[in-house]
Amino acid sequence: MENNQNTQEKNSNVISTPTGIQAKPQEPLRVGIISSETNKENIFAFRDVFLAINNRLGERVQLIVFGHYSDDQDGNWLKEVDFEFVKPVSIVHYFKQLRALNLDLIFIPLLRTPYNIRSETLGKFFEGAVFNIPVLAPRFFPYNNGDIVDKHNGFLYENGDQIVLILDHLYIQRPLVKAVGRNAHNFVMQEFNYSNHNIKLLADSF
């Protein structure tokens, strides 16, 4: 019985094909969280969500925190959360580093507060779209203003429990992640005066 359980655990990430032949496990879904001085409290507030992602999805989802690292909250900021930290870079190298992270998704942990609704912008959506990276963002302003359509050019969540379910789904549905990323890229090119030329300049020059 114990051997069967161990076998099941080892094969938890193995994908079965229609013919019953086991395919190789997929690479982890790389989920980036862009951290700064201004959003550290929001990130800390989602600590339990990050722990749930670790505990329920395990090696299927890899969390990458890019930017500011805080030792606030008595040193408990993201304590016990399994994540990769990538130190901040200057704005001169920001886009080059963002591309080099090879992210599948940018997760935007944001509390629904009057301040966030008034001050949040679509900046992270634009930044990710440059490199075909879709966002997973909260379903309130500015992310629900019509620019981002859920499962078309981005992903929207209602609460923490839903985040875990969405990531579990997207781990398997990797073609959907890529398609949504391409749609986000095409959207910002068409609607916000981007072009392949200036996107290349951003990636190569910065």
Side-chain angles (χ1 to χ4, degrees):
M1 182 70 177
E2 183 177 351
N3 290 337
N4 289 339
Q5 183 176 357
N6 291 338
T7 300
Q8 290 175 356
E9 289 176 355
K10 290 178 181 177
N11 292 339
S12 61
N13 288 347
V14 174
I15 310 302
S16 296
T17 65
T19 60
I21 300 173
Q22 289 181 332
K24 292 182 180 179
Q26 294 197 65
E27 293 294 322
L29 187 74
R30 289 179 59 81
V31 178
I33 301 142
I34 299 174
S35 175
S36 69
E37 284 280 2
T38 59
N39 72 348
K40 62 184 181 183
E41 291 184 3
N42 288 283
I43 292 176
F44 178 74
F46 278 72
R47 177 177 171 272
D48 288 344
V49 174
F50 299 141
L51 287 171
I53 292 170
N54 288 163
N55 294 332
R56 292 166 60 180
L57 303 183
E59 295 180 357
R60 287 175 288 175
V61 172
Q62 184 176 8
L63 299 175
I64 299 96
V65 176
F66 171 39
H68 177 77
Y69 184 85
S70 175
D71 286 327
D72 292 354
Q73 306 295 339
D74 299 322
N76 291 326
W77 194 77
L78 299 190
K79 184 179 180 181
E80 299 178 353
V81 176
D82 184 13
F83 67 96
E84 174 187 343
F85 174 66
V86 179
K87 65 182 181 180
V89 296
S90 69
I91 188 61
V92 174
H93 299 102
Y94 178 80
F95 283 95
K96 184 176 289 186
Q97 181 65 78
L98 184 61
R99 180 175 63 174
L101 291 177
N102 195 29
L103 300 176
D104 296 299
L105 190 72
I106 292 175
F107 170 43
I108 302 174
L110 198 67
L111 297 170
R112 188 182 188 118
T113 66
Y115 174 79
N116 284 337
I117 292 173
R118 288 195 309 269
S119 63
E120 184 72 5
T121 71
L122 292 174
K124 295 183 182 69
F125 169 65
F126 295 143
E127 292 169 5
V130 167
F131 301 115
N132 298 284
I133 307 169
V135 296
L136 174 57
R139 195 184 292 272
F140 57 78
F141 189 84
Y143 299 106
N144 68 343
N145 71 349
D147 287 330
I148 299 177
V149 178
D150 191 27
K151 300 182 184 67
H152 174 69
N153 62 353
F155 300 97
L156 300 175
Y157 66 85
E158 299 280 358
N159 53 55
D161 289 337
Q162 195 177 54
I163 291 166
V164 178
L165 294 175
I166 290 171
L167 293 179
D168 190 24
H169 177 70
L170 295 183
Y171 169 76
I172 299 298
Q173 296 296 331
R174 210 63 62 90
L176 174 62
V177 178
K178 292 185 180 300
V180 170
R182 287 193 300 270
N183 288 342
H185 178 84
N186 293 336
F187 176 78
V188 299
M189 287 180 66
Q190 294 167 8
E191 300 295 328
F192 294 93
N193 209 26
Y194 281 75
S195 68
N196 284 321
H197 176 68
N198 57 32
I199 283 175
K200 187 175 187 303
L201 287 177
L202 277 175
D204 294 344
S205 301
F206 285 82

